[in-house]
Amino acid sequence: MRQVGPYLEQRLNALRDLPLVGDVRGSHFMMCTEYVANKETREVLADGVNIGKRISNHCEARGLIVRPLAHLNIMSPPLVMTEAEVDELIAGLSAGIKAAADDLVREGHRID
């Protein structure tokens, strides 16, 4: 846990480069990603977009469960998680974020 927790933090923080990811918060095995419409102003998407749930749905379709809460996704994986499992989590979350961003663009939402 002492080695994998920081690894999870490091890998999640790399997601900041993706569209929509405005912040990554937490420590070790209690982490969350925050989604924004505009990274510079940190403006969140309208409530009706339901971005946390959209991303959660895309992740679940890929076998990953993340907890949606408004414009956040919360993760509290098992304390026995391995680095390989962290990599799997990151791959699923990244794919879910990208798929949701693609949906929003197709629907005419602006993502800066």
Side-chain angles (χ1 to χ4, degrees), residues 13-27:
N13 274 296
L15 297 180
R16 292 175 187 264
D17 294 335
L18 293 177
L20 298 176
V21 178
D23 196 14
V24 174
R25 299 194 288 273
S27 177

Side-chain angles (χ1 to χ4, degrees), residues 55-102:
I55 292 171
S56 172
N57 289 344
H58 280 292
C59 289
E60 191 170 331
R62 291 162 172 79
L64 173 66
I65 297 174
V66 294
R67 179 177 171 224
L69 180 63
H71 61 282
L72 307 169
N73 283 129
I74 299 168
M75 289 145 284
S76 51
L79 299 177
V80 295
M81 188 174 214
T82 66
E83 287 186 2
E85 291 167 330
V86 167
D87 293 339
E88 190 176 330
L89 181 152
I90 297 302
L93 182 57
S94 176
I97 293 167
K98 290 174 185 175
D102 290 346

Side-chain angles (χ1 to χ4, degrees), residues 21-68:
V21 178
D23 196 14
V24 174
R25 299 194 288 273
S27 177
H28 292 78
F29 288 90
M30 284 296 297
M31 300 291 296
C32 94
T33 49
E34 177 183 29
Y35 307 106
V36 297
N38 184 307
K39 288 186 177 213
E40 189 174 312
T41 65
R42 301 192 44 82
E43 174 190 357
V44 296
L45 292 148
D47 289 343
V49 171
N50 207 6
I51 191 62
K53 182 64 176 160
R54 281 182 188 235
I55 292 171
S56 172
N57 289 344
H58 280 292
C59 289
E60 191 170 331
R62 291 162 172 79
L64 173 66
I65 297 174
V66 294
R67 179 177 171 224

